Every structure is written in C-alpha cells, then in structure tokens.
Amino acid sequence: MNMTGAGFWVAVVVPLAALLWWWNDYWYALPFLLRRGSSKLPPGYMGLPFLGEMVAFLWYFKVLGRPDDFINAKRSKYGDGVGLYRTHLLGEPMIIVCTPSANKFVLQSESSFALKWVSDELVGKTSLVAVEGDSHTRVRGLVVRAINQPNALRKITLMVQPRVVASLRSWSQRGRITAYNEAKKLIFANTAKYFASFETDRVLDTLDDLFKGVLIGFRAYPLKFPGTAFHHALKCRRKAEAIFREEMETRKKCGASVTKNDLMESLMQMEGEDGKRLSDVEVIDNIVSLVVAGYISTSFSVMWALYYLAKYPDVLLKLREEHMPISKKLKGDFITYEEIASCKYTAKVVEEVIRMANIAAFVFRTAKKDVDYRGYKIPKGWKVACWVRYLHTNPECFEDPMCFNPDRWNEAPKAGSYLVFGGGPRICAGNMYARLQLTIILHHLVVGYRWELVNPNAKMVYLPHPKPADEVEIEITQI
Ligand code: HEM
C-alpha cells in the first residue's frame, strides 16, 4: 500500500507527536489513576519525555523575563482550583503549590512532606538543615538561641559594625562598585567574624574560596568523580570543616582562659533542655551550614536595598530622617540593638526589600506518602514546589505588588501570603539575624553616603536568583 504525504502525517507523525506531547502525563499520571480509581491528580501538563515543562519554564523565566506568567498561564488554562498544578520540572514529577492556604498546608506538615537535599554530606549530616524530628527540634532550639534571639543579636550588632564602617568607606573611595560583589565580601567577613572570630585576610580569602566551591555543589549533579563540580564541592567542604575544627581544638586546649563571645563558643557551651551539649561534629556541621544558608541570601538583600533606595528617593529620604537623629546622638559610637529595634520605618523598608527581592523563590519538599488536599492527591515520592515568589508578586496578596512601598507594612500582610523565610517548623533560623545585618548596613549607608545606579534600566535576570544583570553597579560618594 502506498502512503501519500498527507496520509503519512495523519497515520504516523500526528499520533507520534501526540504520544510524545502527552508522554509524561501517561507515564506518571495514568498508572497512578488506574491504581487509585477515583482519586484525582491536580490539573496541569507534565510535558515532553525527560524535559517535562522545562522549556516553558525557561521561556517565561529566561526569554520573556516574566516569571510569574508561568503560573498565570496555568491559572488561565486550568482555572484557580485549589492552588495545585501538576508538572514535571528539573527532571522530576512535581506538584506546584501557589496559594497561601496550600503553601501553609505543605510547609506545616512535616509528617507528610520531607525536606530533601541533593546530599546530606554537603550540608553536613548533623546540621540543622539535614536532621529531622526530635533531633531537629533540639538542634534548632540551640542554633536559634545562638544566632536569632535578642542576646545574640545584641552581641552581633556591635561585633559587625567596624567592618561595615570600613567597607562603606572603601566603596566610596573607589567611587564605582558592583553592589552584589561588595555586599558578598562584607557579609562573608562579618559571618567569619561572628561565627569563629576569623579576621585575617588570609583565612577569609581561603574560606571564601572554599565556600564558593561548596555553593556551586548545590546546583551540580551529585556525581562524586574527580573533576565534577560536586566532587570539588565536597572537597571544599572538608577543607572548610578542617579550618573550623582546628580553631575548635585550639580553643579546647586554651580552656576557659580565652573567651571569644562568638557563635562557635556559644554552640560549644550551650545546653539543650535535656542538659546535653552539641557534639563537636554537630558544632562544625552547623557552623558550616549556617554560612551556606546565610551568606549569599543576605548579600542579595543588601544588593536589592541599594537598588530600590536608588530608584525610590522619597523612601531614602524618610529613612535618613529616621537615622540622622540617632547618628547625631551617637557622636561616632556604634548603633545599638535597642536603637535598631526602635527604627519602625526602617523595619518596613527591610520587609519590603526582602519581599520584592524574592531571594528564595521556591521552597521544595518531597511527599513522604500519598497526601490528599481538598480532593486532590499529591503522590508519594513527587517533588512539591511551594512557589512562594508567586505570593509576593500577586495582586490578590499585595496591592500593586511591583511597586516598592514600605508603607504597605503599616498593616500586617494577609495570612500565609508572606513566606520569604519559608514557614512551619523549618522557617528560616536566621531571619532576625538577616534583618539585623541589613538594618545595620542601611543605618551607616543612609547617614553617610549617597549613591546612584550606573544602569538604571539594567535587564533583570531571574535564575538562579532574581537580580539586575549588572549586579547593581553604583557610583557612591560620602555625604
Ligand atoms: C534575606 C536572607 C534570607 C532569606 C531570604 C532566607 C530564606 C530562607 C528560607 C525560605 C528557608 C526555608 C527553607 C525550607 O523550608 O526549605 C530558610 C531556612 C533556613 N535559613 Fe534562611 N534565609 C535568609 C538568611 C539566613 C541567615 C542569615 C541564616 C543564618 C546565618 C539562615 C539560616 C537558615 C537555616 C539554618 C535554615 C533551615 C532551618 C531549618 O531547617 O530548621 N538564613 N531560609
């Protein structure tokens, strides 16, 4: 039988294309539907074999530069439903969660959804981010006390300011700087100082290089062969660990005769409710993972603050009005934790910067079992992406969301719509520490400096983190 050109298309190409087009939906959803009979998966499309919806995702995030339209397109196609969509991204079947109540449901239920890292070896097997259940509660209690509560924050406020003052002065002496790079150097130096009293340039440079290597490992495929980024990251982690361990051993030899007043000392000495201290491995694992969790995220917030304040001079003016009287009263002394806590307008600016920055755009979990949510199934083993950036940029949660407006914080946000630090038992353990660092830097910036953007219309990039393409190049001078 002779097949015409059109016949060939109808008989072979179209069915093949349809099969490919729906492949992931058949592959992942059909067996599940057959097995469960009446149960439903959330609406959505799981894309092509292997690729899933990666092409559409990259299209919205990278090509169009309109990341939130990835979700808007789903809403228009499948309706709002209960705020869940099925998809296939990053090589895995996935449920996207994009309403306040559905996000709350996922983030609160540790018994149903687990936090899984590419490798526990990289984050540290006994670190707060890797442990679960009672161990998590115990370690979290100690870490939060050492880094995120008023006594620790009071100490940190005074410890980090010399470096902040010196860095800002050096920025203005150079005139033109890239805010993201300089913020990273400053935050890293402050982190090393508070975490283990490391101050010399030699140790800072070595650690900085090692942590850069570790961070690359989080986005690499977990292959442990020499030459791979992941293998290199593990090596960097072990070397960084060795530096902290050496410091710990030196302290143990000196005993109580030398006090450092830093995080390492707190973690070595604190006792939990059970009267037990952290083991040496736990202390080191937690220090290393706290550097990883806090250093880049806080640097982004500083970069975005410089960006928005340059774009919104009326906000900068109001900030200055709040800080100038404090600065005059201080006569060159450092601002205290209590003074920082009294800066109400600054607190709103900080919240607004972090909302708009969307530093952690998604928070991932894995379903530990089949979970029902308002008539839909989240299958066991599937990834769950709490799409928190969508909440922060959605007009149903924040009025005129793309406008930088600290005054919106005169009122509390709608319940569940502000998840910049995640939520539930794993909410960011350093959220107050991050806010504090940003506030201290803002204080010294607004009382002493003026700056403008070199490229006010710089293109935005959204992956892996949102930032202007020039990483916020500024001209900065002393007032
Ligand atoms: C603006 C800066 C920051 C942002 C936007 C941020 C965001 C987040 C988010 C979204 C989570 C939840 C992750 C999840 O549930 O899977 C988280 C967890 C965490 N963050 Fe932050 N973070 C910031 C700064 C910091 C700092 C400065 C530290 C400490 C030095 C820190 C330490 C942690 C830790 C230890 C966790 C894990 C908590 C747990 O598993 O119990 N973060 N952070």
Side-chain angles (χ1 to χ4, degrees):
M1 191 175 69
N2 244 349
M3 208 181 265
T4 61
F8 174 77
W9 276 92
V10 171
V12 181
V13 178
V14 172
L16 201 65
L19 185 68
L20 281 181
W21 187 252
W22 294 107
W23 180 267
N24 273 348
D25 281 279
Y26 299 139
W27 185 258
Y28 289 104
L30 258 189
F32 177 79
L33 290 175
L34 292 176
R35 197 160 33 101
R36 306 285 147 159
S38 62
S39 56
K40 271 192 303 196
L41 282 175
Y45 168 62
M46 301 186 71
L48 300 171
F50 309 112
L51 284 176
E53 279 205 297
M54 275 317 281
V55 174
F57 175 81
L58 294 174
W59 175 253
Y60 283 108
F61 274 73
K62 277 203 174 239
V63 181
L64 295 183
R66 297 200 317 259
D68 302 310
D69 283 349
F70 181 68
I71 300 294
N72 287 331
K74 292 190 182 303
R75 287 184 71 183
S76 345
K77 193 160 178 193
Y78 307 109
D80 285 351
V82 299
L84 303 186
Y85 300 103
R86 71 170 186 271
T87 184
H88 187 286
L89 286 175
L90 309 169
E92 290 183 74
M94 188 182 281
I95 301 292
I96 291 176
V97 180
C98 59
T99 57
S101 45
N103 273 300
K104 188 171 163 210
F105 173 76
V106 172
L107 293 175
Q108 299 278 355
S109 341
E110 275 227 289
S111 57
S112 304
F113 301 101
L115 170 62
K116 281 210 177 132
W117 292 93
V118 180
S119 144
D120 281 355
E121 232 176 313
L122 201 54
V123 288
K125 286 193 174 91
T126 68
S127 75
L128 166 58
V129 293
V131 290
E132 286 190 79
D134 290 347
S135 306
H136 176 250
T137 313
R138 171 177 159 267
V139 178
R140 189 177 161 97
L142 292 169
V143 167
V144 165
R145 234 199 298 157
I147 205 160
N148 214 36
Q149 288 187 347
N151 278 344
L153 297 173
R154 209 165 273 124
K155 230 166 30 179
I156 294 168
T157 306
L158 298 177
M159 247 172 145
V160 300
Q161 285 186 72
R163 186 63 80 152
V164 172
V165 170
S167 295
L168 298 189
R169 193 176 308 128
S170 110
W171 296 3
S172 73
Q173 281 161 357
R174 275 178 288 154
R176 183 181 283 206
I177 57 142
T178 302
Y180 180 50
N181 286 344
E182 297 304 321
K184 274 196 295 188
K185 282 186 215 154
L186 169 57
I187 299 295
F188 191 78
N190 277 342
T191 303
K193 166 84 179 149
Y194 176 59
F195 281 22
S197 299
F198 290 146
E199 275 186 282
T200 61
D201 286 345
R202 191 181 52 82
V203 181
L204 288 184
D205 289 346
T206 311
L207 277 174
D208 195 8
D209 282 345
L210 293 175
F211 277 103
K212 276 183 193 139
V214 174
L215 286 166
I216 290 170
F218 284 101
R219 285 203 291 275
Y221 196 76
L223 279 179
K224 288 194 199 169
F225 297 125
T228 61
F230 188 73
H231 184 262
H232 177 68
L234 286 175
K235 256 174 51 188
C236 288
R237 198 207 132 89
R238 280 193 280 273
K239 285 186 189 164
E241 224 177 271
I243 295 177
F244 286 109
R245 184 170 294 280
E246 195 185 321
E247 172 67 18
M248 184 186 236
E249 295 306 328
T250 312
R251 290 179 187 206
K252 282 191 187 163
K253 276 189 206 128
C254 298
S257 62
V258 180
T259 53
K260 298 274 190 160
N261 235 350
D262 56 17
L263 177 72
M264 182 178 275
E265 189 173 274
S266 301
L267 291 179
M268 285 168 75
Q269 290 176 357
M270 272 179 177
E271 286 178 0
E273 281 174 8
D274 53 3
K276 282 193 196 149
R277 292 187 180 177
L278 293 176
S279 67
D280 290 358
V281 176
E282 284 176 315
V283 171
I284 304 285
D285 270 357
N286 278 291
I287 290 180
V288 173
S289 71
L290 284 170
V291 178
V292 170
Y295 143 57
I296 295 293
S297 49
T298 312
S299 308
F300 271 119
S301 70
V302 174
M303 176 200 79
W304 278 113
L306 282 154
Y307 177 85
Y308 283 118
L309 292 176
K311 286 245 166 187
Y312 290 80
D314 51 326
V315 176
L316 177 58
L317 201 68
K318 279 166 94 173
L319 261 186
R320 240 180 220 136
E321 281 166 10
E322 184 161 81
H323 285 269
M324 274 307 190
I326 301 175
S327 173
K328 282 196 183 124
K329 205 178 72 191
L330 288 171
K331 295 193 189 117
D333 280 345
F334 290 142
I335 190 166
T336 62
Y337 175 64
E338 279 66 26
E339 279 154 342
I340 286 172
S342 74
C343 294
K344 302 291 178 225
Y345 186 69
T346 314
K348 293 188 259 180
V349 172
V350 165
E351 249 31 81
E352 186 66 346
V353 166
I354 299 177
R355 177 187 74 84
M356 301 246 338
N358 276 307
I359 298 159
F362 325 103
V363 174
F364 293 107
R365 294 289 183 271
T366 304
K368 289 182 182 173
K369 53 186 179 192
D370 284 352
V371 182
D372 281 305
Y373 179 71
R374 297 175 64 188
Y376 290 99
K377 281 270 182 230
I378 303 176
K380 180 178 174 184
W382 284 31
K383 260 249 155 50
V384 178
C386 295
W387 214 271
V388 295
R389 73 156 288 134
Y390 191 68
L391 303 173
H392 310 141
T393 55
N394 183 347
E396 290 155 33
C397 299
F398 293 93
E399 199 185 319
D400 198 1
M402 302 324 271
C403 173
F404 181 73
N405 173 18
D407 288 324
R408 73 171 78 247
W409 295 93
N410 291 338
E411 285 165 30
K414 286 185 191 154
S417 61
Y418 185 56
L419 296 179
V420 286
F421 291 111
R426 289 204 175 259
I427 192 168
C428 179
N431 58 3
M432 297 312 290
Y433 173 51
R435 288 175 168 115
L436 176 78
Q437 288 208 76
L438 181 54
T439 309
I440 291 172
I441 294 172
L442 283 179
H443 166 75
H444 290 284
L445 264 172
V446 304
V447 300
Y449 300 87
R450 65 169 69 89
W451 66 96
E452 52 190 53
L453 300 174
V454 174
N455 307 302
N457 300 318
K459 185 177 166 257
M460 290 293 158
V461 290
Y462 294 95
L463 291 174
H465 296 281
K467 62 179 182 199
D470 70 343
E471 301 189 332
V472 187
E473 223 184 320
I474 55 170
E475 301 268 11
I476 178 165
T477 48
Q478 234 165 343
I479 294 177

